[in-house]
Amino acid sequence: MNPTYRVPYTNFPAQYRGMEKEVLAAVEGVLATGSYILRDAVRELEKELAGFLKVKEVVGVGSGTDALFLPLYALGIKPGDEVITVSHTFVATIAVIAHCGATAVLADI
């Protein structure tokens, strides 16, 4: 059976069109000030996101790899520990587990 329809996973161009002016203004503001790292724009994003998520604090990080590593580090994951994760994942997931010295245990979902 060959379906004649396709459901797109996501439509980034359509999403962008809905917020293009706001995105461009934000990017231009950062570029105009040269405030790229740990500046007002980052603090404001963290504050707004914390409010949206109804949590006390949000910390912006430099990459998805950092975002995976920091919770493991905060939990005290160390050599000898096992971390269960999905087998269908990006290599960074396994890399951060190994970086902590732990063993990745892959679970098929």
Side-chain angles (χ1 to χ4, degrees):
M1 184 169 161
N2 188 3
T4 58
Y5 59 91
R6 291 178 61 96
V7 177
Y9 180 69
T10 189
N11 188 339
F12 291 120
Q15 290 175 349
Y16 175 67
R17 281 190 300 274
M19 58 182 151
E20 180 177 6
K21 289 179 183 176
E22 182 181 359
V23 169
L24 290 177
V27 170
E28 288 172 357
V30 169
L31 292 174
T33 63
S35 298
Y36 303 121
I37 300 170
L38 298 177
R39 301 299 180 117
D40 294 337
V42 175
R43 282 190 288 275
E44 186 62 29
L45 173 66
E46 291 170 340
K47 181 180 172 184
E48 287 182 23
L49 193 52
F52 176 77
L53 295 171
K54 296 179 176 57
V55 296
K56 185 177 177 183
E57 299 282 338
V58 168
V59 178
V61 295
S63 69
T65 303
D66 291 346
L68 292 169
F69 173 71
L70 288 175
L72 295 180
Y73 181 78
L75 289 169
I77 301 298
K78 60 191 177 312
D81 291 340
E82 292 183 342
V83 177
I84 301 170
T85 189
V86 296
S87 57
H88 184 73
T89 188
F90 184 66
V91 66
T93 307
I94 307 305
V96 297
I97 294 169
H99 183 67
C100 292
T103 300
V105 177
L106 302 178
D108 187 9
I109 57 169

